[in-house]
Amino acid sequence: MKKTSTRLADGRELIYYDLRDDTVRDAVDRRPLDRTITTSEVRRDALLGDSVAIASHRQGRTYHPPADECPLCPSTSDRLSEIPDSSYDVVVFENRFPSLAGGSGRCEVVCFTADHDASFADLTEEQAGLVLDAWTDRTSELSHLPSVEQVFCFENRGEEIGVTLGHPHGQIYAYPFTTPRTALMLRSLAAHKEATGGENLFDAVLEQELAGERVVLEGEHWVAFVPHAAHWPYEVHLYPKRRVPDLLALDEAARTEFPQIYLELLRRFDRIFGSGEPPTPYIAAWHQAPFGALEEFDGVTRDDFALHLELFTIRRTSGKLKFLAGSESGMNVFINDVPPECAAERLREVASS
């Protein structure tokens, strides 16, 4: 992998990740952009104990542009985009409309491929491996920023999810706090460790799932399964079999196998509802241990946390979406119409060809 860092016309950082070591990236951003001005603010909810980002400047972000005006495609002689060069393998840049900014964290965009009409599932194993390298590198770099406590790499795919740009891409949020979902995991981890005299809850869950009926895919170094208490109609958790706290700690064997397992999983997701259905909308979310202090989670260290990816869709059946209604949105109590065992069986049936 070759990494080349440059600046866009408004001062934002842009980084090329290339498969070839001899690739030259010297294109200049020729757009007449003013400096980006953001209004991001993080406010603490005193009752719930969580945080909310207030970012009014995002109201003006780019919204469903036509394909020939996509800001994530490479630039051409007569159309300038966020990527100054005429081609790229993988590129990461600071979001022009970030939810978090300055002392409140950082938001980045990850473009998986220059092909506007592709999806992550269309990538080759080599390309998917390069995306993994980019995620890992950004996790490392962002973790050293003084305002950052947790790094979250994710992909939103499909208009039903709320995606406003059709180009295959994901995002990275560098939070100045430990996110509420991770805090819940850490509390459960601490409680289980105390109750069992030191047993790791992630290890116990993984052992139980490996012995059960909800495994979807299993390799030498990774396993994908539908969890016992899946919240979403089709939800799969992907774990390395050797527990590690973050992407940085994956060994070479796990990094090599990841593209094979993940691409197969994504291709199966696109087959859940049959060949006549549009591509399955999904969210793919990496869960990594926070880089901040963990004193509030008694006895838990970063090494107790287990890196994993959670992949889920809001489509519950052909032509129908799972909406978060009163119980889910009002009280955070999910109701799942698809039994996890049935979801796992369906995902095993639809092996990609």
Side-chain angles (χ1 to χ4, degrees):
M1 179 190 77
K2 182 181 179 182
K3 175 183 175 183
T4 306
S5 180
T6 185
R7 292 280 171 181
L8 296 173
D10 55 8
R12 289 175 294 132
E13 185 177 20
L14 180 142
I15 306 162
Y16 294 98
Y17 293 90
D18 287 296
L19 292 168
R20 292 174 56 96
D21 291 336
D22 59 352
T23 303
V24 176
R25 298 295 184 188
D26 55 7
V28 176
D29 185 3
R30 296 179 282 123
R31 296 173 298 170
L33 297 180
D34 295 327
R35 283 273 172 178
T36 299
I37 299 175
T38 62
T39 58
S40 179
E41 174 190 358
V42 174
R43 296 184 182 179
R44 186 78 172 169
D45 186 312
L47 290 177
L48 296 180
D50 60 9
S51 298
V52 177
I54 311 296
S56 60
H57 63 275
R58 285 176 52 79
Q59 289 280 29
R61 66 188 185 273
T62 308
Y63 187 80
H64 293 303
D68 60 356
E69 296 179 18
C70 175
L72 306 185
C73 287
S75 289
T76 63
S77 58
D78 56 357
R79 185 183 58 80
L80 304 179
S81 73
E82 289 279 66
I83 297 91
D85 216 323
S86 59
S87 67
Y88 64 85
D89 291 336
V90 172
V91 71
V92 176
F93 59 88
E94 289 184 76
N95 197 323
R96 191 177 179 185
F97 304 96
S99 302
L100 306 165
S104 299
R106 174 159 155 152
C107 294
E108 299 181 339
V109 177
V110 185
C111 298
F112 304 137
T113 172
D115 185 352
H116 180 86
D117 298 317
S119 68
F120 200 116
D122 296 323
L123 300 182
T124 66
E125 290 183 12
E126 186 179 34
Q127 290 173 313
L130 184 61
V131 175
L132 177 62
D133 289 342
W135 283 331
T136 305
D137 181 71
R138 297 316 300 152
T139 296
S140 176
E141 293 289 330
L142 293 170
S143 70
H144 288 95
L145 296 180
S147 66
V148 171
E149 191 166 311
Q150 186 172 3
V151 179
F152 175 47
C153 307
F154 64 101
E155 179 191 3
N156 298 329
R157 192 271 192 108
E159 289 189 20
E160 299 95 328
I161 295 293
V163 173
T164 57
L165 297 175
H167 196 104
H169 72 288
Q171 299 181 65
I172 302 175
Y173 276 23
Y175 297 103
F177 50 79
T178 296
T179 60
R181 189 174 178 85
T182 301
L184 284 173
M185 293 183 197
L186 291 169
R187 292 189 193 102
S188 297
L189 192 61
H192 185 85
K193 190 174 186 178
E194 181 179 5
T196 60
E199 182 181 74
N200 184 281
L201 179 57
F202 284 111
D203 291 350
V205 168
L206 189 58
E207 181 180 359
Q208 181 182 33
E209 293 292 358
L210 279 166
E213 59 180 315
R214 291 180 296 274
V215 172
V216 175
L217 280 170
E218 183 177 358
E220 184 178 354
H221 305 284
W222 294 86
V223 60
F225 58 86
V226 178
H228 169 71
H231 289 56
W232 299 95
Y234 290 90
E235 175 181 340
V236 177
H237 293 189
L238 177 62
Y239 277 71
K241 290 184 177 179
R242 182 179 70 88
R243 173 166 45 89
V244 295
D246 52 39
L247 291 166
L248 302 170
L250 287 174
D251 60 26
E252 195 57 38
R255 298 182 71 81
T256 299
E257 187 181 75
F258 169 76
Q260 305 163 24
I261 297 289
Y262 189 49
L263 290 173
E264 171 67 15
L265 189 57
L266 290 179
R267 290 162 187 163
R268 291 191 187 197
F269 249 61
D270 273 344
R271 293 169 178 260
I272 293 174
F273 304 104
S275 58
E277 288 289 317
T280 301
Y282 65 74
I283 293 175
W286 279 110
H287 292 264
Q288 306 191 77
F291 289 95
L294 300 178
E295 285 87 354
E296 64 179 292
F297 309 105
D298 294 339
V300 172
T301 69
R302 288 194 80 250
D303 289 335
D304 290 323
F305 195 86
L307 167 77
H308 62 284
L309 182 141
E310 297 184 7
L311 174 69
F312 60 90
T313 180
I314 62 171
R315 187 178 292 163
R316 57 187 175 87
T317 189
S318 180
K320 297 179 181 179
L321 301 180
K322 161 69 175 178
F323 291 101
L324 298 189
S327 183
E328 291 92 349
S329 295
M331 296 303 289
N332 201 28
V333 178
F334 275 67
I335 302 168
N336 191 351
D337 300 329
V338 181
E341 294 73 23
C342 295
E345 182 178 7
R346 177 59 180 160
L347 284 162
R348 287 192 297 267
E349 289 175 350
V350 293
S352 68
S353 58

